[in-house]
């Protein structure tokens, strides 16, 4: 189960880091604060998940070891979470896809036999539900705004959609955990996810993209070109002051 928790933790950590890049750059002061708070929630999720993964895998690694002590290829996040922010509409599209998935999956975690993990799922689902509302609201606002805002929202959706399938992929590790009842598989959630996201896009006057390809590889450590600079930014202080404490 340690690897699965590491994957979930990496998703939250990397997406949180991406959202931090909006600080002082968001369209409005309110959005600067909103995205900062969402990023803070995600980093909190990552701390819980990565700390637990370190206890379970026998290495004794801490949340800081996971965040600051691994090279790029050892991160196991989905490619969706590491996509560059692009313009604000692209970030909204990425948030729309991730938050609807995360709420569904964390709700399923509440039924885990592991009480600690179940409690985390309950808390995280409530927090990400607010992130989902934020993404839903902005999707509708941009889709039904001006011709330009709708064009940008369509472009953002087309940009992120090929990366959504990886959220629901099931490999041998996950199949084994799911079969034993240890953790749920995300694969059965895809239809519900698509139904909910489609509802938001319909309200926004937008269509679900139909990508001709599907990205994968993040779970096994294969990342996009822009991921290296993101990890370097994340780890820059630790690299400059190894062993430093604050």
């Amino acid at each position: 189960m340690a690897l699965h928790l590491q994957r979930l933790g990496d998703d939250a950590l990397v997406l949180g880091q991406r959202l931090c890049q909006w600080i002082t750059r968001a369209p409005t002061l309110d959005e600067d604060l909103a995205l900062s708070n969402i990023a803070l929630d995600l980093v909190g999720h990552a701390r819980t998940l990565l700390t637990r993964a370190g206890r379970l895998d026998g290495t004794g690694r801490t949340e800081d070891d996971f965040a600051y002590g691994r090279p790029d290829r050892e991160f196991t996040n989905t490619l969706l979470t590491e996509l560059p922010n692009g313009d604000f509409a692209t970030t909204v599209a990425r948030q729309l896809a991730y938050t609807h998935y995360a709420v569904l999956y964390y709700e399923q975690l509440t039924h885990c036999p592991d009480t600690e993990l179940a409690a985390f799922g309950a808390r995280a689902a409530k927090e990400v539900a607010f992130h989902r509302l934020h993404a839903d609201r902005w999707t509708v606002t941009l889709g039904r705004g001006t011709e330009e805002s709708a064009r940008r929202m369509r472009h953002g959706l087309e940009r992120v959609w090929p990366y959504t399938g990886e959220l629901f992929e099931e490999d041998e590790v996950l199949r084994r955990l799911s079969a034993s009842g240890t953790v749920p598989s995300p694969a059965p959630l895809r239809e519900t996810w698509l139904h909910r996201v489609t509802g938001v896009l319909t309200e926004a006057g937008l269509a679900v993209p139909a990508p001709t390809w599907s990205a994968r590889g993040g779970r096994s450590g294969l990342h996009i070109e822009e991921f290296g600079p993101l990890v370097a930014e994340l780890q820059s202080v630790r690299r400059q002051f190894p062993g430093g404490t604050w």
Side-chain angles (χ1 to χ4, degrees):
M1 185 165 70
L3 177 57
H4 182 58
L5 298 185
Q6 177 185 318
R7 290 170 173 176
L8 296 177
D10 282 349
D11 281 345
L13 176 65
V14 169
L15 183 55
Q17 182 69 14
R18 273 290 183 222
L19 291 177
C20 283
Q21 294 177 330
W22 275 109
I23 295 175
T24 74
R25 296 178 175 87
T28 66
L29 181 59
D30 281 348
E31 281 311 302
D32 202 306
L33 294 172
L35 293 173
S36 298
N37 283 324
I38 291 171
L40 186 62
D41 284 344
L42 291 171
V43 172
H45 300 166
R47 293 184 64 186
T48 298
L49 290 162
L50 295 177
T51 297
R52 186 75 190 283
R55 293 207 309 264
L56 291 175
D57 69 6
T59 64
R61 285 179 290 180
T62 67
E63 62 198 65
D64 288 346
D65 294 328
F66 277 103
Y68 306 128
R70 289 181 293 166
D72 305 2
R73 287 295 301 270
E74 291 184 13
F75 279 79
T76 57
N77 55 283
T78 57
L79 298 177
L80 174 72
T81 59
E82 69 190 54
L83 283 178
N85 288 325
D87 67 8
F88 185 64
T90 299
T91 290
V92 168
R94 188 185 60 203
Q95 287 297 107
L96 180 74
Y98 176 79
T99 57
H100 275 267
Y101 149 79
V103 169
L104 287 170
Y105 192 74
Y106 286 146
E107 286 175 345
Q108 292 300 304
L109 280 185
T110 64
H111 305 298
C112 286
D114 184 314
T115 56
E116 184 178 341
L117 188 56
F120 164 77
R123 174 176 63 84
K126 291 178 182 177
E127 292 174 347
V128 181
F130 285 103
H131 307 171
R132 180 187 60 188
L133 289 173
H134 178 266
D136 289 355
R137 176 174 62 83
W138 270 111
T139 299
V140 174
T141 297
L142 295 175
R144 292 199 172 276
T146 65
E147 181 179 340
E148 177 64 12
S149 71
R151 182 192 69 79
R152 287 177 179 245
M153 194 65 224
R154 286 193 297 271
H155 173 76
L157 291 166
E158 291 167 359
R159 174 76 176 95
V160 307
W161 227 249
Y163 295 87
T164 58
E166 191 178 22
L167 294 169
F168 305 96
E169 281 188 353
E170 185 181 68
D171 62 2
E172 184 57 37
V173 172
L174 196 46
R175 277 191 290 271
R176 186 172 65 251
L177 292 172
S178 176
S180 67
T182 305
V183 297
S185 168
L189 303 176
R190 187 167 191 171
E191 185 175 345
T192 302
W193 171 85
L194 182 59
H195 175 74
R196 293 185 179 182
V197 170
T198 300
V200 177
L201 295 181
T202 299
E203 184 181 353
L206 301 165
V208 177
T212 57
W213 63 286
S214 181
R216 57 175 52 88
R219 293 299 194 208
S220 56
L222 302 176
H223 299 283
I224 63 175
E225 183 179 356
E226 297 87 349
F227 187 60
L230 180 71
V231 173
E233 179 182 66
L234 171 68
Q235 299 177 345
S236 60
V237 175
R238 174 60 68 88
R239 292 178 180 181
Q240 187 174 2
F241 302 103
T245 57
W246 286 267

